[in-house]
């Protein structure tokens, strides 16, 4: 009888520890800004957090069981399938995987994710899990900054040309021919 009580106590303690652990990780997943997802080998969503729902614009009920291909155009879906196959075959995580999705409202978003295989107790791959961020706005801002930096560089070249021409004109005893030749020499680099 004592053994039964000890076994039950140990079992209850183990169950409590498991419940606490599950609560801890569920709280973490529910409160991070990053999207967390798990898909089976066919690419159907099995588990995910609310951040993924916000990014893709679907409710939990709509997303559960949906295939990732339904969130992408044909080209993006094929690229993602290739990444999943490579991760499956090599058992190496895919870090910094780019994924373009199409939200429920039709808007396109850029996702950067890290994808890992999921294995069962026997070590067999059963699917994939991943964590990702919507990087659409960051990439747009980076591209805008790149364009503005280039445009600023062009304006600097133009200003340097104008400064050079004004410097030529201000020089005493400079002939018109020298000013024209100097201007001709200054213009090409400003293009």
């Amino acid at each position: 009888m004592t053994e039964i009580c000890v076994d039950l106590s140990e079992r209850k303690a183990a169950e409590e520890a498991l419940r606490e652990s599950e609560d801890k990780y569920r709280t973490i997943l529910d409160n991070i800004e990053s999207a967390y997802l798990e898909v089976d080998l066919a690419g159907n969503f099995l588990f995910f957090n609310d951040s993924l729902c916000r990014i893709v614009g679907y409710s939990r009920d709509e997303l559960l069981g949906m295939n990732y291909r339904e969130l992408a155009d044909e080209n993006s879906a094929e690229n993602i399938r290739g990444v999943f196959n490579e991760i499956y075959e090599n058992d190496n995580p895919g870090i910094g995987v780019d994924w373009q999705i199409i939200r429920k409202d039709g808007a396109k978003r850029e996702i950067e994710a890290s994808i890992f295989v999921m294995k069962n107790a026997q070590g067999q791959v059963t699917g994939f899990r991943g964590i990702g961020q919507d990087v659409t706005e960051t990439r747009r801002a980076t591209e805008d900054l790149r364009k503005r930096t280039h445009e600023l560089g062009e304006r600097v070249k133009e200003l340097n040309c104008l400064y050079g021409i004004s410097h030529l004109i201000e020089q005493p005893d400079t002939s018109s021919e020298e000013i024209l030749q100097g201007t001709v020499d200054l213009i090409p680099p400003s293009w």
Side-chain angles (χ1 to χ4, degrees):
M1 183 74 156
T2 305
E3 284 182 33
I4 294 173
C5 288
V6 170
D7 286 345
L8 287 175
S9 295
E10 288 175 2
R11 181 181 173 131
K12 283 189 176 212
E15 287 174 354
E16 180 63 22
L18 179 60
R19 188 187 61 71
E20 287 176 7
S21 178
E22 287 174 350
D23 287 347
K24 174 182 173 181
Y25 290 108
R26 183 166 310 281
T27 300
I28 291 169
L29 287 177
D30 288 344
N31 290 296
I32 60 173
E33 289 295 318
S34 297
Y36 177 82
L37 61 97
E38 294 180 3
V39 296
D40 62 19
L41 289 174
N44 301 310
F45 289 100
L46 303 172
F47 180 78
F48 43 86
N49 65 359
D50 288 339
S51 292
L52 181 65
C53 294
R54 282 191 298 276
I55 290 171
V56 299
Y58 287 91
S59 70
R60 282 187 164 278
D61 290 339
E62 292 171 315
L63 197 54
L64 187 61
M66 182 185 286
N67 192 281
Y68 73 86
R69 289 180 184 91
E70 296 175 62
L71 300 175
D73 63 24
E74 189 175 322
N75 189 40
S76 291
E78 190 58 30
N79 288 339
I80 296 163
R81 187 188 66 77
V83 168
F84 281 154
N85 282 341
E86 186 176 322
I87 293 167
Y88 178 85
E89 290 172 7
N90 298 322
D91 197 11
N92 288 329
I95 308 295
V97 175
D98 288 330
W99 184 354
Q100 185 181 70
I101 60 124
I102 302 171
R103 287 177 42 88
K104 183 178 180 178
D105 63 11
K108 291 185 178 183
R109 306 300 290 177
E110 298 290 327
I111 306 300
E112 184 176 89
S114 294
I115 309 292
F116 310 87
V117 293
M118 285 190 316
K119 296 181 179 181
N120 63 16
Q122 292 76 38
Q124 298 167 318
V125 176
T126 59
F128 304 92
R129 65 175 42 111
I131 190 161
Q133 298 273 347
D134 182 340
V135 294
T136 307
E137 298 307 319
T138 302
R139 290 196 176 160
R140 284 182 187 157
T142 300
E143 180 60 19
D144 185 50
L145 181 60
R146 187 198 63 75
K147 286 179 182 177
R148 289 176 184 260
T149 301
H150 175 74
E151 290 170 2
L152 182 60
E154 294 301 305
R155 299 303 77 81
V156 168
K157 288 193 297 187
E158 292 167 1
L159 288 172
N160 283 336
C161 177
L162 291 173
Y163 173 76
I165 293 170
S166 70
H167 184 69
L168 284 172
I169 293 170
E170 291 173 351
Q171 296 299 314
D173 301 327
T174 305
S175 69
S176 298
E177 292 81 23
E178 290 173 323
I179 292 173
L180 287 174
Q181 184 59 50
T183 302
V184 167
D185 293 341
L186 287 169
I187 289 175
S190 69
W191 288 346

